[in-house]
Amino acid sequence: MTALVEIDSLQKHFPVGGGLFGRGKKQVRALDGVSLSIEKGEILSVVGESGSGKTTLGRTVLRLTDPTAGAIRFEGQDITSLSRRALRPFRQRMQLVFQDPFASLNPRQTVEQIVATPLAIHAGGSSATEKRERVADMLRLVGLQPHHADRYPHELSGGQRQRVGIARALILNPSFLVADEPVSALDVSIQAQVVNLLLELKEKLGLTILFIAHDLAVVGHISDRIAVMYLGRVVEVAETGTLFRSPRHPYTEALFSAAPIPDPTVRRSRVLLQGDIPSPIDPPSGCAFRTRCRHALPECATVVPPLRQVGPGHLSACIRDDIALQASIA
Amino acid sequence: MSSSIFDSSPGDSNPGGDFAAREAAIALPPRNTALRRFCRHRLAMAGAIIIAILVLGSYLGPYLIPYDDTFIDIMQRFAPPFSGAHILGTDELGRDMLARLMMGGRISLAVGFTAMVISMGIGILVGAIAGYYGGIVGAALMRFVDAVLCFPSIFLLLALAALIEPGVASITLLIAATAWMDVARIVEGQIRGLRERDFAVAAEALGASDLRIVFRELVPNAVAPIVVAATLNVAKAILLESYVSYLGYGIQPPTPSWGNMLNNAQIYLTSAPWLAILPGLFITLAVTSFNFLGDGLRDALDPRMENH
């Protein structure tokens, strides 16, 4: 396996509270040194609670926001500081599916215009009928009917809109897709359909997907590997089965414990986190999770724990190897 | 299908086709509901009809009446309306009032409309650039807009008109130059809000150019407030043209405009009041009609009333 996308200690800081003259000194550390490598053909999920930097990671990898520091390599090429013009050829090969299918489609355009936009930008040479055929093929591929082409987004259901969003993202045959919580705005009954569609398209088109989510049931179903984020850092990465069976970071344990189990007879001991996620403006020293961790030691406050290999393909950023953590029941 | 209840006689209407037609009737594009809402707005409809009559009357009317607007009938000076051959009377030189009002209407409406188009162009461009790029560029542009807006437009117009030789084209440009700021502010606010929306990010992720994102993705979503501003701008431009022409800096006689007809009329206000009342009436009619039209469009195009 070779890496399609390599992310190397990526940082993204947003200035906050800037005055009229000069920028404020305070910064939100949305990404605070994230290193990940996404292998060709895999689905890597990123999970974490709100404000952990998942969405920022997805958008920064696609260079929709400029990173503060670090590097992004796509198919071996460094795209960290390419200009917009230089990025254009890469845009065809990396695409994005959004969380909210109501906001991600232009309400003034028909489905056909929306799905044909990528062709208008990148395939200027092809004729109008050729484009229309490609749009019709794409709509069929995502499970829509040809007559949907003339509809406006507000005439479609949430699931149908999300399919339109997927069609727009895939019509240029990208190799890399960032799916930013693509199903969390949908009804549960529709979620499965869209998740299975993504899996099916991944097989058919040979996609590599960075899947951003917070629903562990969906994540367990779809991903090959999972990265857990907390306050702008990756705290644990492992293959899906390994992570669910033997989590090595206390935060992963707590996250699993918070997931609902669809069986009321099951009793389990919950790992409850105290308090809220700390402010990313002023994160705790050392391990960012130590303020809510029941296994925290004084040493945790001194040094930022690096991601260490704790098993084959299993990385964790916790200094405590001596603790036994609960596996996921789900 | 052999024993189906549907295959009665040949030529019978196809039930599937009926269903498709009904479905198509339900799935109307959003503009038609807006049109329906607009038609229910009585004042706006009245405004639209009056504007249509004024435009048709100004452009076709002069061919239908026997008098030219510059023809001087010296024997018929100060003929009051409805008293003789001249239906709306004559002015101090015996020129037919109806012919002059029609030709004046051409000038006033054309100046209003052209000034609107130009001011919309400038306003949309400045607003879109400021709203899309934001930051220092946006702040600088919008503070410039605020600065220009600080001048009462009538004084700005008079100051500029005093420096430039008056004529139809120059007056139009001057009015446009004093009327684009409101549009710029409206568009800037709209674009600033829309550019953060996911569909704009999607276009950026596809590698779309700034030009494409602004004019294909963002501006069409701001079309409702832009159309409303455009209508109100026509009214404003007609009024401004009347002001400057009334004050003598605008359209110069013998070319008639509703404004300079008023200017002419002031010395005869007691002896021949119709010289002032008639052009005043038409200015009022045109301006209120455009304002009602704008109100109606605002209600009809309000996206909150669109049933999503």
Side-chain angles (χ1 to χ4, degrees):
Chain A
M1 288 250 267
T2 48
L4 181 74
V5 180
E6 286 164 284
I7 304 160
D8 188 11
S9 44
L10 198 62
Q11 295 192 15
K12 175 66 191 177
H13 299 171
F14 293 103
V16 284
L20 184 59
F21 302 102
R23 291 174 174 207
K25 283 177 190 148
K26 287 188 172 173
Q27 296 198 310
V28 171
R29 294 158 172 265
L31 295 179
D32 203 6
V34 171
S35 297
L36 274 176
S37 119
I38 305 166
E39 308 294 328
K40 213 165 253 174
E42 77 167 343
I43 297 185
L44 173 66
S45 288
V46 175
V47 296
E49 59 195 301
S50 311
S52 57
K54 296 168 297 185
T55 296
T56 309
L57 176 67
R59 300 214 170 170
T60 314
V61 168
L62 292 179
R63 283 290 317 276
L64 291 170
T65 46
D66 291 328
T68 310
I72 309 152
R73 276 182 295 279
F74 184 79
E75 291 179 341
Q77 268 177 286
D78 192 331
I79 60 164
T80 322
S81 47
L82 289 184
S83 69
R84 266 184 79 176
R85 184 181 293 270
L87 267 173
R88 271 190 61 152
F90 289 94
R91 294 279 181 222
Q92 300 185 45
R93 290 190 274 156
M94 37 196 240
Q95 270 305 310
L96 177 62
V97 174
F98 292 85
Q99 173 174 14
D100 183 356
F102 293 82
S104 65
L105 307 179
N106 189 337
R108 294 275 164 192
Q109 292 181 353
T110 62
V111 168
E112 166 141 23
Q113 287 172 314
I114 291 169
V115 180
T117 302
L119 297 178
I121 295 169
H122 290 285
S126 51
S127 70
T129 42
E130 210 175 311
K131 281 179 189 163
R132 199 163 311 138
E133 265 167 38
R134 276 182 78 178
V135 170
D137 286 347
M138 201 62 229
L139 290 181
R140 220 169 293 129
L141 195 62
V142 298
L144 291 172
Q145 303 295 313
H147 72 259
H148 287 123
D150 302 320
R151 298 288 171 88
Y152 284 89
H154 74 263
E155 297 170 317
L156 303 178
S157 69
Q160 287 172 327
R161 292 184 201 204
Q162 200 55 291
R163 287 169 194 267
V164 174
I166 293 170
R168 170 180 59 192
L170 296 183
I171 197 164
L172 291 171
N173 268 321
S175 49
F176 178 52
L177 188 70
V178 173
D180 187 357
E181 306 216 19
V183 298
S184 49
L186 304 175
D187 286 347
V188 176
S189 56
I190 309 295
Q191 286 191 357
Q193 290 177 17
V194 173
V195 164
N196 289 334
L197 174 69
L198 277 174
L199 279 172
E200 189 190 313
L201 292 173
K202 181 224 160 200
E203 288 306 320
K204 246 185 224 171
L205 308 173
L207 289 171
T208 303
I209 302 179
L210 179 66
F211 191 88
I212 296 164
H214 59 249
D215 183 342
L216 288 167
V218 170
V219 165
H221 176 62
I222 197 172
S223 18
D224 299 309
R225 287 195 304 145
I226 298 176
V228 181
M229 280 188 77
Y230 187 77
L231 267 185
R233 290 184 199 145
V234 173
V235 294
E236 186 165 11
V237 191
E239 286 185 5
T240 307
T242 317
L243 192 78
F244 275 77
R245 270 191 313 274
S246 54
R248 295 297 296 273
H249 197 283
Y251 178 63
T252 314
E253 178 194 38
L255 208 58
F256 284 149
S257 176
I261 306 163
D263 183 351
T265 62
V266 172
R267 291 279 172 269
R268 59 173 173 176
S269 61
R270 296 280 308 274
V271 179
L272 292 175
L273 291 185
Q274 304 294 314
D276 286 328
I277 187 164
S279 164
I281 295 175
D282 195 14
S285 65
C287 173
F289 185 58
R290 70 181 165 81
T291 52
R292 300 164 82 191
C293 181
R294 57 184 183 146
H295 305 290
L297 299 173
E299 296 95 284
C300 292
T302 53
V303 123
V304 177
L307 272 175
R308 297 179 300 127
Q309 186 108 16
V310 293
H314 192 163
L315 305 173
S316 168
C318 183
I319 57 169
R320 299 208 47 179
D321 291 324
D322 52 328
I323 45 176
L325 300 176
Q326 286 177 25
S328 165
I329 302 173
Chain B
M1 286 296 281
S2 56
S3 66
S4 159
I5 52 162
F6 293 128
D7 54 7
S8 42
S9 64
D12 208 349
S13 73
N14 162 18
D18 264 8
F19 179 72
R22 257 205 314 277
E23 200 187 25
I26 295 163
L28 282 173
R31 273 178 206 90
N32 286 7
T33 57
L35 186 67
R36 220 173 300 143
R37 270 204 304 275
F38 179 78
C39 292
R40 277 205 297 269
H41 198 296
R42 285 197 195 144
L43 281 175
M45 278 306 282
I49 291 166
I50 290 172
I51 290 163
I53 292 171
L54 287 177
V55 170
L56 284 176
S58 297
Y59 282 86
L60 300 179
Y63 302 109
L64 303 176
I65 58 166
Y67 303 102
D68 193 76
D69 66 300
T70 50
F71 172 71
I72 294 171
D73 188 353
I74 205 75
M75 306 301 288
Q76 296 279 335
R77 295 173 69 217
F78 296 117
F82 312 116
S83 65
H86 302 277
I87 300 170
L88 292 181
T90 58
D91 65 2
E92 75 279 8
L93 294 172
R95 291 176 297 192
D96 186 72
M97 279 299 282
L98 182 59
R100 285 185 65 74
L101 284 168
M102 285 169 172
M103 291 312 285
R106 278 192 192 185
I107 301 286
S108 290
L109 291 171
V111 168
F113 194 77
T114 318
M116 178 275 283
V117 170
I118 297 169
S119 66
M120 293 308 287
I122 303 171
I124 290 172
L125 202 66
V126 172
I129 291 171
Y132 185 71
Y133 291 106
I136 294 170
V137 179
L141 278 173
M142 291 324 286
R143 293 302 78 74
F144 175 68
V145 168
D146 289 344
V148 182
L149 212 52
C150 283
F151 293 100
S153 56
I154 186 68
F155 290 119
L156 186 62
L157 195 58
L158 288 176
L160 290 170
L163 298 173
I164 292 167
E165 196 177 320
V168 177
S170 60
I171 290 301
T172 308
L173 286 175
L174 286 182
I175 291 170
T178 59
W180 58 273
M181 294 84 73
D182 287 328
V183 185
R185 292 178 83 171
I186 290 168
V187 173
E188 191 257 355
Q190 291 283 327
I191 298 294
R192 190 150 43 91
L194 288 168
R195 66 160 300 191
E196 301 298 330
R197 298 268 289 274
D198 278 351
F199 65 81
V201 178
E204 204 183 331
L206 287 165
S209 60
D210 289 347
L211 211 62
R212 186 183 182 93
I213 295 176
V214 170
F215 288 103
R216 289 284 181 88
E217 306 284 340
L218 303 183
V219 170
N221 281 287
V223 81
I226 290 175
V227 166
V228 173
T231 343
L232 299 178
N233 242 359
V234 178
K236 205 162 119 187
I238 291 174
L239 210 54
L240 277 175
E241 183 273 322
S242 309
Y243 285 157
V244 275
S245 295
Y246 172 73
L247 293 169
Y249 291 102
I251 311 293
Q252 298 299 306
T255 310
S257 84
W258 291 340
N260 70 22
M261 288 172 77
L262 269 181
N263 179 22
N264 254 6
Q266 47 188 330
I267 34 178
Y268 311 110
L269 201 57
T270 46
S271 56
W274 62 89
L275 293 186
I277 290 170
L278 286 171
L281 196 70
F282 278 95
I283 292 168
T284 313
L285 213 54
V287 171
T288 33
S289 295
F290 273 110
N291 278 328
F292 283 141
L293 185 68
D295 280 351
L297 286 173
R298 192 200 320 263
D299 292 350
L301 295 172
D302 191 342
R304 277 168 302 183
M305 293 175 80
E306 253 170 51
N307 34 358
H308 277 287

